[in-house]
Amino acid sequence: MKLVIITSNIAFQKDIKVILKKAGVKTYSFSEVTTYMDFSDTATTENWFASEVNEMESIFFYAFVQKENVDEIFQLVSNFNAVQQPISQIRIAVLNIEKSNDLGAGAPSELTR
């Protein structure tokens, strides 16, 4: 089992839900969060936002996913990002789960309720 973490601009919320559904992820959680970007060490000409620290409405998804679904999620995210501007992409990370109380498919557990 893997822990998939996805962050993006809040505008991509529906797109991420579609990606997760296409990849066979049936259970996930998400939350609206605020992303802070510190541009204090960026040259003024490179800083489009004209201030040192900016806030952006973002979303944070996480899901416990079977190993076999992870590559498909990455491919779908890569396909989505390929047509986006670099500053507005979906970010994804995967962590190994060393231990969990998940008893397997069909068995009730805190991870599947």
Side-chain angles (χ1 to χ4, degrees):
M1 182 165 295
K2 306 284 186 176
L3 174 60
V4 174
I5 299 171
I6 300 172
T7 64
S8 81
N9 184 300
I10 197 166
F12 298 144
Q13 179 176 334
K14 288 180 184 177
D15 300 297
I16 294 170
K17 289 178 180 180
V18 169
I19 287 170
L20 292 172
K21 184 174 184 171
K22 283 182 180 179
V25 178
K26 298 186 185 311
T27 304
Y28 57 84
S29 299
F30 84 96
S31 180
E32 293 181 15
V33 296
T34 303
T35 298
Y36 294 92
M37 293 180 278
D38 183 358
F39 292 102
S40 60
D41 54 349
T42 303
T44 306
T45 57
E46 295 176 27
N47 184 353
W48 298 355
F49 305 104
S51 70
E52 290 187 358
V53 178
N54 291 299
E55 296 180 12
M56 181 176 70
E57 290 183 19
S58 301
I59 48 177
F60 178 85
F61 282 78
Y62 64 94
F64 295 97
V65 177
Q66 297 299 321
K67 284 190 269 186
E68 53 271 10
N69 298 85
V70 172
D71 288 338
E72 186 170 359
I73 298 169
F74 264 88
Q75 187 60 54
L76 291 166
V77 168
S78 293
N79 294 346
F80 181 86
N81 284 342
V83 295
Q84 302 301 315
Q85 295 182 14
I87 199 161
S88 298
Q89 294 191 338
I90 296 173
R91 309 289 182 207
I92 183 170
V94 176
L95 303 170
N96 288 323
I97 302 298
E98 292 183 30
K99 218 178 205 187
S100 78
N101 64 346
D102 187 8
L103 302 174
S109 75
E110 292 304 311
L111 297 178
T112 58
R113 286 184 194 178

PDB file of all heavy atoms in Angstrom, residues 21-48:
ATOM      1  N   LYS A  21     -10.621   8.840  -9.970  1.00  0.00           N
ATOM      2  CA  LYS A  21     -11.646   7.873 -10.381  1.00  0.00           C
ATOM      3  C   LYS A  21     -11.137   7.011 -11.530  1.00  0.00           C
ATOM      4  O   LYS A  21     -11.294   5.788 -11.510  1.00  0.00           O
ATOM      5  CB  LYS A  21     -12.925   8.600 -10.782  1.00  0.00           C
ATOM      6  CG  LYS A  21     -14.051   7.665 -11.131  1.00  0.00           C
ATOM      7  CD  LYS A  21     -15.347   8.393 -11.389  1.00  0.00           C
ATOM      8  CE  LYS A  21     -16.444   7.364 -11.642  1.00  0.00           C
ATOM      9  NZ  LYS A  21     -17.749   7.974 -11.698  1.00  0.00           N
ATOM     10  N   LYS A  22     -10.515   7.631 -12.547  1.00  0.00           N
ATOM     11  CA  LYS A  22      -9.983   6.878 -13.688  1.00  0.00           C
ATOM     12  C   LYS A  22      -8.922   5.870 -13.251  1.00  0.00           C
ATOM     13  O   LYS A  22      -8.783   4.808 -13.848  1.00  0.00           O
ATOM     14  CB  LYS A  22      -9.374   7.825 -14.727  1.00  0.00           C
ATOM     15  CG  LYS A  22     -10.383   8.541 -15.567  1.00  0.00           C
ATOM     16  CD  LYS A  22      -9.675   9.413 -16.595  1.00  0.00           C
ATOM     17  CE  LYS A  22     -10.659  10.161 -17.465  1.00  0.00           C
ATOM     18  NZ  LYS A  22      -9.974  11.031 -18.441  1.00  0.00           N
ATOM     19  N   ALA A  23      -8.170   6.201 -12.201  1.00  0.00           N
ATOM     20  CA  ALA A  23      -7.104   5.324 -11.713  1.00  0.00           C
ATOM     21  C   ALA A  23      -7.628   4.264 -10.743  1.00  0.00           C
ATOM     22  O   ALA A  23      -6.849   3.497 -10.198  1.00  0.00           O
ATOM     23  CB  ALA A  23      -6.011   6.153 -11.051  1.00  0.00           C
ATOM     24  N   GLY A  24      -8.927   4.240 -10.496  1.00  0.00           N
ATOM     25  CA  GLY A  24      -9.507   3.220  -9.636  1.00  0.00           C
ATOM     26  C   GLY A  24      -9.424   3.519  -8.150  1.00  0.00           C
ATOM     27  O   GLY A  24      -9.617   2.627  -7.332  1.00  0.00           O
ATOM     28  N   VAL A  25      -9.147   4.772  -7.793  1.00  0.00           N
ATOM     29  CA  VAL A  25      -9.097   5.154  -6.375  1.00  0.00           C
ATOM     30  C   VAL A  25     -10.512   5.492  -5.937  1.00  0.00           C
ATOM     31  O   VAL A  25     -11.109   6.445  -6.427  1.00  0.00           O
ATOM     32  CB  VAL A  25      -8.145   6.356  -6.150  1.00  0.00           C
ATOM     33  CG1 VAL A  25      -8.151   6.764  -4.682  1.00  0.00           C
ATOM     34  CG2 VAL A  25      -6.752   6.006  -6.626  1.00  0.00           C
ATOM     35  N   LYS A  26     -11.047   4.698  -5.022  1.00  0.00           N
ATOM     36  CA  LYS A  26     -12.428   4.880  -4.597  1.00  0.00           C
ATOM     37  C   LYS A  26     -12.571   5.693  -3.315  1.00  0.00           C
ATOM     38  O   LYS A  26     -13.615   6.265  -3.055  1.00  0.00           O
ATOM     39  CB  LYS A  26     -13.086   3.514  -4.432  1.00  0.00           C
ATOM     40  CG  LYS A  26     -13.148   2.729  -5.730  1.00  0.00           C
ATOM     41  CD  LYS A  26     -13.932   1.457  -5.569  1.00  0.00           C
ATOM     42  CE  LYS A  26     -13.921   0.579  -6.779  1.00  0.00           C
ATOM     43  NZ  LYS A  26     -14.208   1.173  -8.027  1.00  0.00           N
ATOM     44  N   THR A  27     -11.510   5.728  -2.512  1.00  0.00           N
ATOM     45  CA  THR A  27     -11.571   6.440  -1.240  1.00  0.00           C
ATOM     46  C   THR A  27     -10.380   7.379  -1.141  1.00  0.00           C
ATOM     47  O   THR A  27      -9.236   6.960  -1.340  1.00  0.00           O
ATOM     48  CB  THR A  27     -11.532   5.451  -0.062  1.00  0.00           C
ATOM     49  OG1 THR A  27     -12.590   4.506  -0.212  1.00  0.00           O
ATOM     50  CG2 THR A  27     -11.681   6.170   1.264  1.00  0.00           C
ATOM     51  N   TYR A  28     -10.659   8.641  -0.860  1.00  0.00           N
ATOM     52  CA  TYR A  28      -9.601   9.634  -0.679  1.00  0.00           C
ATOM     53  C   TYR A  28     -10.139  10.742   0.205  1.00  0.00           C
ATOM     54  O   TYR A  28     -11.345  10.841   0.447  1.00  0.00           O
ATOM     55  CB  TYR A  28      -9.120  10.186  -2.030  1.00  0.00           C
ATOM     56  CG  TYR A  28     -10.214  10.806  -2.864  1.00  0.00           C
ATOM     57  CD1 TYR A  28     -10.615  12.125  -2.688  1.00  0.00           C
ATOM     58  CD2 TYR A  28     -10.872  10.049  -3.828  1.00  0.00           C
ATOM     59  CE1 TYR A  28     -11.632  12.676  -3.447  1.00  0.00           C
ATOM     60  CE2 TYR A  28     -11.882  10.591  -4.592  1.00  0.00           C
ATOM     61  CZ  TYR A  28     -12.258  11.903  -4.401  1.00  0.00           C
ATOM     62  OH  TYR A  28     -13.270  12.447  -5.151  1.00  0.00           O
ATOM     63  N   SER A  29      -9.253  11.568   0.672  1.00  0.00           N
ATOM     64  CA  SER A  29      -9.618  12.731   1.477  1.00  0.00           C
ATOM     65  C   SER A  29      -9.009  13.964   0.843  1.00  0.00           C
ATOM     66  O   SER A  29      -7.984  13.879   0.169  1.00  0.00           O
ATOM     67  CB  SER A  29      -9.087  12.590   2.903  1.00  0.00           C
ATOM     68  OG  SER A  29      -9.641  11.451   3.524  1.00  0.00           O
ATOM     69  N   PHE A  30      -9.650  15.104   1.070  1.00  0.00           N
ATOM     70  CA  PHE A  30      -9.042  16.338   0.602  1.00  0.00           C
ATOM     71  C   PHE A  30      -9.456  17.482   1.504  1.00  0.00           C
ATOM     72  O   PHE A  30     -10.433  17.410   2.235  1.00  0.00           O
ATOM     73  CB  PHE A  30      -9.384  16.619  -0.870  1.00  0.00           C
ATOM     74  CG  PHE A  30     -10.696  17.314  -1.095  1.00  0.00           C
ATOM     75  CD1 PHE A  30     -10.756  18.692  -1.241  1.00  0.00           C
ATOM     76  CD2 PHE A  30     -11.861  16.585  -1.177  1.00  0.00           C
ATOM     77  CE1 PHE A  30     -11.967  19.327  -1.457  1.00  0.00           C
ATOM     78  CE2 PHE A  30     -13.075  17.211  -1.396  1.00  0.00           C
ATOM     79  CZ  PHE A  30     -13.131  18.582  -1.535  1.00  0.00           C
ATOM     80  N   SER A  31      -8.669  18.526   1.428  1.00  0.00           N
ATOM     81  CA  SER A  31      -8.917  19.705   2.228  1.00  0.00           C
ATOM     82  C   SER A  31      -8.461  20.934   1.461  1.00  0.00           C
ATOM     83  O   SER A  31      -7.506  20.874   0.695  1.00  0.00           O
ATOM     84  CB  SER A  31      -8.133  19.605   3.546  1.00  0.00           C
ATOM     85  OG  SER A  31      -8.370  20.741   4.344  1.00  0.00           O
ATOM     86  N   GLU A  32      -9.149  22.030   1.672  1.00  0.00           N
ATOM     87  CA  GLU A  32      -8.695  23.292   1.111  1.00  0.00           C
ATOM     88  C   GLU A  32      -7.608  23.832   2.034  1.00  0.00           C
ATOM     89  O   GLU A  32      -7.734  23.780   3.257  1.00  0.00           O
ATOM     90  CB  GLU A  32      -9.843  24.283   0.998  1.00  0.00           C
ATOM     91  CG  GLU A  32     -10.883  23.846  -0.014  1.00  0.00           C
ATOM     92  CD  GLU A  32     -12.029  24.829  -0.162  1.00  0.00           C
ATOM     93  OE1 GLU A  32     -11.913  25.985   0.301  1.00  0.00           O
ATOM     94  OE2 GLU A  32     -13.048  24.426  -0.746  1.00  0.00           O
ATOM     95  N   VAL A  33      -6.530  24.301   1.436  1.00  0.00           N
ATOM     96  CA  VAL A  33      -5.403  24.827   2.205  1.00  0.00           C
ATOM     97  C   VAL A  33      -4.928  26.123   1.559  1.00  0.00           C
ATOM     98  O   VAL A  33      -5.290  26.437   0.431  1.00  0.00           O
ATOM     99  CB  VAL A  33      -4.231  23.814   2.265  1.00  0.00           C
ATOM    100  CG1 VAL A  33      -4.634  22.560   3.015  1.00  0.00           C
ATOM    101  CG2 VAL A  33      -3.728  23.462   0.893  1.00  0.00           C
ATOM    102  N   THR A  34      -4.100  26.847   2.279  1.00  0.00           N
ATOM    103  CA  THR A  34      -3.487  28.055   1.739  1.00  0.00           C
ATOM    104  C   THR A  34      -2.024  27.767   1.467  1.00  0.00           C
ATOM    105  O   THR A  34      -1.307  27.288   2.342  1.00  0.00           O
ATOM    106  CB  THR A  34      -3.607  29.230   2.727  1.00  0.00           C
ATOM    107  OG1 THR A  34      -4.994  29.428   3.013  1.00  0.00           O
ATOM    108  CG2 THR A  34      -3.019  30.498   2.148  1.00  0.00           C
ATOM    109  N   THR A  35      -1.601  28.034   0.248  1.00  0.00           N
ATOM    110  CA  THR A  35      -0.204  27.869  -0.136  1.00  0.00           C
ATOM    111  C   THR A  35       0.474  29.222  -0.068  1.00  0.00           C
ATOM    112  O   THR A  35      -0.075  30.218  -0.546  1.00  0.00           O
ATOM    113  CB  THR A  35      -0.096  27.312  -1.570  1.00  0.00           C
ATOM    114  OG1 THR A  35      -0.708  26.022  -1.589  1.00  0.00           O
ATOM    115  CG2 THR A  35       1.355  27.197  -2.013  1.00  0.00           C
ATOM    116  N   TYR A  36       1.637  29.268   0.533  1.00  0.00           N
ATOM    117  CA  TYR A  36       2.425  30.496   0.612  1.00  0.00           C
ATOM    118  C   TYR A  36       3.652  30.341  -0.270  1.00  0.00           C
ATOM    119  O   TYR A  36       4.336  29.325  -0.199  1.00  0.00           O
ATOM    120  CB  TYR A  36       2.857  30.781   2.055  1.00  0.00           C
ATOM    121  CG  TYR A  36       1.688  31.086   2.950  1.00  0.00           C
ATOM    122  CD1 TYR A  36       1.057  30.077   3.671  1.00  0.00           C
ATOM    123  CD2 TYR A  36       1.208  32.382   3.070  1.00  0.00           C
ATOM    124  CE1 TYR A  36      -0.027  30.342   4.476  1.00  0.00           C
ATOM    125  CE2 TYR A  36       0.115  32.668   3.877  1.00  0.00           C
ATOM    126  CZ  TYR A  36      -0.493  31.639   4.578  1.00  0.00           C
ATOM    127  OH  TYR A  36      -1.573  31.919   5.380  1.00  0.00           O
ATOM    128  N   MET A  37       3.896  31.332  -1.094  1.00  0.00           N
ATOM    129  CA  MET A  37       5.074  31.327  -1.952  1.00  0.00           C
ATOM    130  C   MET A  37       5.925  32.531  -1.599  1.00  0.00           C
ATOM    131  O   MET A  37       5.451  33.665  -1.651  1.00  0.00           O
ATOM    132  CB  MET A  37       4.656  31.377  -3.421  1.00  0.00           C
ATOM    133  CG  MET A  37       3.943  30.125  -3.866  1.00  0.00           C
ATOM    134  SD  MET A  37       3.454  30.172  -5.589  1.00  0.00           S
ATOM    135  CE  MET A  37       1.941  31.117  -5.451  1.00  0.00           C
ATOM    136  N   ASP A  38       7.165  32.279  -1.219  1.00  0.00           N
ATOM    137  CA  ASP A  38       8.096  33.338  -0.826  1.00  0.00           C
ATOM    138  C   ASP A  38       8.973  33.703  -2.012  1.00  0.00           C
ATOM    139  O   ASP A  38       9.786  32.906  -2.467  1.00  0.00           O
ATOM    140  CB  ASP A  38       8.952  32.866   0.344  1.00  0.00           C
ATOM    141  CG  ASP A  38       9.894  33.935   0.851  1.00  0.00           C
ATOM    142  OD1 ASP A  38       9.942  35.046   0.287  1.00  0.00           O
ATOM    143  OD2 ASP A  38      10.602  33.648   1.832  1.00  0.00           O
ATOM    144  N   PHE A  39       8.786  34.920  -2.508  1.00  0.00           N
ATOM    145  CA  PHE A  39       9.546  35.410  -3.649  1.00  0.00           C
ATOM    146  C   PHE A  39      10.592  36.440  -3.233  1.00  0.00           C
ATOM    147  O   PHE A  39      11.099  37.172  -4.072  1.00  0.00           O
ATOM    148  CB  PHE A  39       8.611  36.042  -4.687  1.00  0.00           C
ATOM    149  CG  PHE A  39       7.714  35.050  -5.353  1.00  0.00           C
ATOM    150  CD1 PHE A  39       6.382  34.931  -4.971  1.00  0.00           C
ATOM    151  CD2 PHE A  39       8.191  34.229  -6.352  1.00  0.00           C
ATOM    152  CE1 PHE A  39       5.548  34.019  -5.588  1.00  0.00           C
ATOM    153  CE2 PHE A  39       7.364  33.305  -6.979  1.00  0.00           C
ATOM    154  CZ  PHE A  39       6.035  33.203  -6.596  1.00  0.00           C
ATOM    155  N   SER A  40      10.929  36.492  -1.952  1.00  0.00           N
ATOM    156  CA  SER A  40      11.824  37.535  -1.459  1.00  0.00           C
ATOM    157  C   SER A  40      13.210  37.485  -2.085  1.00  0.00           C
ATOM    158  O   SER A  40      13.867  38.511  -2.199  1.00  0.00           O
ATOM    159  CB  SER A  40      11.932  37.480   0.067  1.00  0.00           C
ATOM    160  OG  SER A  40      12.431  36.229   0.475  1.00  0.00           O
ATOM    161  N   ASP A  41      13.681  36.313  -2.503  1.00  0.00           N
ATOM    162  CA  ASP A  41      15.008  36.249  -3.108  1.00  0.00           C
ATOM    163  C   ASP A  41      14.944  36.115  -4.634  1.00  0.00           C
ATOM    164  O   ASP A  41      15.911  35.752  -5.278  1.00  0.00           O
ATOM    165  CB  ASP A  41      15.853  35.119  -2.505  1.00  0.00           C
ATOM    166  CG  ASP A  41      15.182  33.773  -2.552  1.00  0.00           C
ATOM    167  OD1 ASP A  41      13.976  33.707  -2.853  1.00  0.00           O
ATOM    168  OD2 ASP A  41      15.860  32.777  -2.270  1.00  0.00           O
ATOM    169  N   THR A  42      13.787  36.449  -5.220  1.00  0.00           N
ATOM    170  CA  THR A  42      13.622  36.445  -6.665  1.00  0.00           C
ATOM    171  C   THR A  42      13.778  37.880  -7.168  1.00  0.00           C
ATOM    172  O   THR A  42      13.256  38.814  -6.573  1.00  0.00           O
ATOM    173  CB  THR A  42      12.215  35.927  -7.050  1.00  0.00           C
ATOM    174  OG1 THR A  42      12.048  34.643  -6.486  1.00  0.00           O
ATOM    175  CG2 THR A  42      12.047  35.873  -8.553  1.00  0.00           C
ATOM    176  N   ALA A  43      14.475  38.025  -8.267  1.00  0.00           N
ATOM    177  CA  ALA A  43      14.654  39.362  -8.850  1.00  0.00           C
ATOM    178  C   ALA A  43      13.294  39.964  -9.178  1.00  0.00           C
ATOM    179  O   ALA A  43      12.370  39.259  -9.581  1.00  0.00           O
ATOM    180  CB  ALA A  43      15.501  39.276 -10.111  1.00  0.00           C
ATOM    181  N   THR A  44      13.154  41.244  -9.022  1.00  0.00           N
ATOM    182  CA  THR A  44      11.895  41.937  -9.253  1.00  0.00           C
ATOM    183  C   THR A  44      11.355  41.681 -10.651  1.00  0.00           C
ATOM    184  O   THR A  44      10.152  41.507 -10.850  1.00  0.00           O
ATOM    185  CB  THR A  44      12.063  43.461  -9.037  1.00  0.00           C
ATOM    186  OG1 THR A  44      12.624  43.657  -7.739  1.00  0.00           O
ATOM    187  CG2 THR A  44      10.747  44.186  -9.133  1.00  0.00           C
ATOM    188  N   THR A  45      12.216  41.604 -11.638  1.00  0.00           N
ATOM    189  CA  THR A  45      11.763  41.362 -13.011  1.00  0.00           C
ATOM    190  C   THR A  45      11.220  39.955 -13.206  1.00  0.00           C
ATOM    191  O   THR A  45      10.410  39.723 -14.091  1.00  0.00           O
ATOM    192  CB  THR A  45      12.908  41.597 -14.017  1.00  0.00           C
ATOM    193  OG1 THR A  45      14.005  40.751 -13.669  1.00  0.00           O
ATOM    194  CG2 THR A  45      13.340  43.047 -14.034  1.00  0.00           C
ATOM    195  N   GLU A  46      11.612  39.006 -12.357  1.00  0.00           N
ATOM    196  CA  GLU A  46      11.125  37.637 -12.448  1.00  0.00           C
ATOM    197  C   GLU A  46       9.879  37.411 -11.610  1.00  0.00           C
ATOM    198  O   GLU A  46       9.191  36.415 -11.768  1.00  0.00           O
ATOM    199  CB  GLU A  46      12.203  36.659 -11.988  1.00  0.00           C
ATOM    200  CG  GLU A  46      13.429  36.647 -12.865  1.00  0.00           C
ATOM    201  CD  GLU A  46      14.506  35.730 -12.289  1.00  0.00           C
ATOM    202  OE1 GLU A  46      14.160  34.769 -11.574  1.00  0.00           O
ATOM    203  OE2 GLU A  46      15.689  35.992 -12.545  1.00  0.00           O
ATOM    204  N   ASN A  47       9.583  38.330 -10.703  1.00  0.00           N
ATOM    205  CA  ASN A  47       8.472  38.188  -9.785  1.00  0.00           C
ATOM    206  C   ASN A  47       7.227  38.813 -10.396  1.00  0.00           C
ATOM    207  O   ASN A  47       7.018  40.014 -10.333  1.00  0.00           O
ATOM    208  CB  ASN A  47       8.813  38.852  -8.438  1.00  0.00           C
ATOM    209  CG  ASN A  47       7.723  38.657  -7.414  1.00  0.00           C
ATOM    210  OD1 ASN A  47       6.656  38.145  -7.710  1.00  0.00           O
ATOM    211  ND2 ASN A  47       7.992  39.095  -6.202  1.00  0.00           N
ATOM    212  N   TRP A  48       6.366  37.982 -10.966  1.00  0.00           N
ATOM    213  CA  TRP A  48       5.152  38.455 -11.618  1.00  0.00           C
ATOM    214  C   TRP A  48       4.175  39.061 -10.630  1.00  0.00           C
ATOM    215  O   TRP A  48       3.342  39.861 -10.994  1.00  0.00           O
ATOM    216  CB  TRP A  48       4.439  37.308 -12.305  1.00  0.00           C
ATOM    217  CG  TRP A  48       5.179  36.626 -13.397  1.00  0.00           C
ATOM    218  CD1 TRP A  48       6.394  36.976 -13.927  1.00  0.00           C
ATOM    219  CD2 TRP A  48       4.768  35.479 -14.100  1.00  0.00           C
ATOM    220  NE1 TRP A  48       6.751  36.116 -14.910  1.00  0.00           N
ATOM    221  CE2 TRP A  48       5.772  35.162 -15.050  1.00  0.00           C
ATOM    222  CE3 TRP A  48       3.642  34.667 -14.036  1.00  0.00           C
ATOM    223  CZ2 TRP A  48       5.674  34.098 -15.905  1.00  0.00           C
ATOM    224  CZ3 TRP A  48       3.558  33.600 -14.899  1.00  0.00           C
ATOM    225  CH2 TRP A  48       4.553  33.323 -15.817  1.00  0.00           C
TER     226      TRP A  48
END
